Amino acid sequence: MLKDFIALIYPPCCVSCNVVLHPHEKHICLACFMKLPKTMFHTQVNNPVERVFWGKVPIKAATSHLFFTKNTPTQSLLHTLKYQNQPEIGFYLGSMLGEEITKSNRFNHVDCIVPVPLHKRKLNKRGYNQCHYIANGIQSKIDKEIVENALVRSSFNKSQTKMNRFSRWLNVETIFELKASDSIENKHVLLIDDVVTTGSTLEACSKQLLKGNPASISIATVAYSA
């Protein structure tokens, strides 16, 4: 009843265009939902996300649900997720990504899900790891174990928003550590992040995961930024 009362005074609005949402809409209105640019990478072998990692780390399969461009519903959803204390958007986006994964036989044999970790300082400041919520959304569709303690972020790094490809790699090259190798040994690991751009973060994570002798590593992100 309290939630209903609050909704009467402060009705939920679309995070993209700010119109009041209808009861059946979540986070964005139907008009903005229809504008979400789906990549369909889950249907494509050697898609652009997979090519990001060619010659760097062996990846079994990779996909992103949406294209990321500025001033779009995709940007609004991810910005609100990360910076406006709405972690439930991560579950919403993860469930859409997970639904696509179920339609691709290349992800059929995933054994566990590993979200990219945050450093403790950033986790304390934000209050949550957005990738944890994305992973939970994916889990709601594929019902696989989430391994939170496989990787840790051992050092605090600068924001990569304005860095070039080489600088991004230097920024993350040594900041991750493998902590629970037994939890991924001989398993098909699905590594999760919110956005892939140069792939430097996911590459660094993958190289650490490989030390745990997984059967294979696949990657899934909410968005792909060319």
Side-chain angles (χ1 to χ4, degrees), residues 46-173:
N46 300 330
N47 64 60
V49 181
E50 293 178 359
R51 293 200 294 268
V52 166
F53 302 99
W54 282 0
K56 299 174 183 176
V57 285
I59 298 299
K60 181 178 179 64
T63 189
S64 297
H65 178 48
L66 304 169
F67 287 106
F68 181 93
T69 52
K70 293 183 178 180
N71 304 315
T72 64
T74 304
Q75 183 186 34
S76 298
L77 282 164
L78 288 170
H79 186 274
T80 305
L81 165 63
K82 293 176 70 171
Y83 304 115
Q84 296 185 22
N85 195 30
Q86 293 193 41
E88 64 277 6
I89 290 178
F91 186 93
Y92 171 74
L93 291 168
S95 64
M96 288 194 291
L97 175 57
E99 184 68 31
E100 284 198 341
I101 287 172
T102 64
K103 299 173 183 177
S104 173
N105 58 17
R106 304 177 68 213
F107 296 89
N108 276 353
H109 302 293
V110 164
D111 296 304
C112 62
I113 304 168
V114 175
V116 170
L118 281 183
H119 188 266
K120 287 183 179 179
R121 190 192 307 178
K122 187 170 287 186
L123 183 60
N124 290 336
K125 181 178 180 180
R126 185 174 296 166
Y128 57 91
N129 178 1
Q130 72 277 6
C131 292
H132 167 82
Y133 284 87
I134 294 168
N136 273 274
I138 293 172
Q139 185 189 50
S140 71
K141 300 297 181 179
I142 68 171
D143 193 27
K144 300 297 180 181
E145 176 190 11
I146 297 174
V147 183
E148 292 279 3
N149 62 341
L151 291 171
V152 296
R153 206 165 191 139
S154 55
S155 59
F156 187 79
N157 63 317
K158 300 177 181 178
S159 171
Q160 300 190 102
T161 305
K162 296 183 179 180
M163 292 184 180
N164 60 32
R165 184 179 298 270
F166 182 65
S167 296
R168 283 173 183 255
W169 167 242
L170 290 178
N171 193 39
V172 299
E173 183 180 11

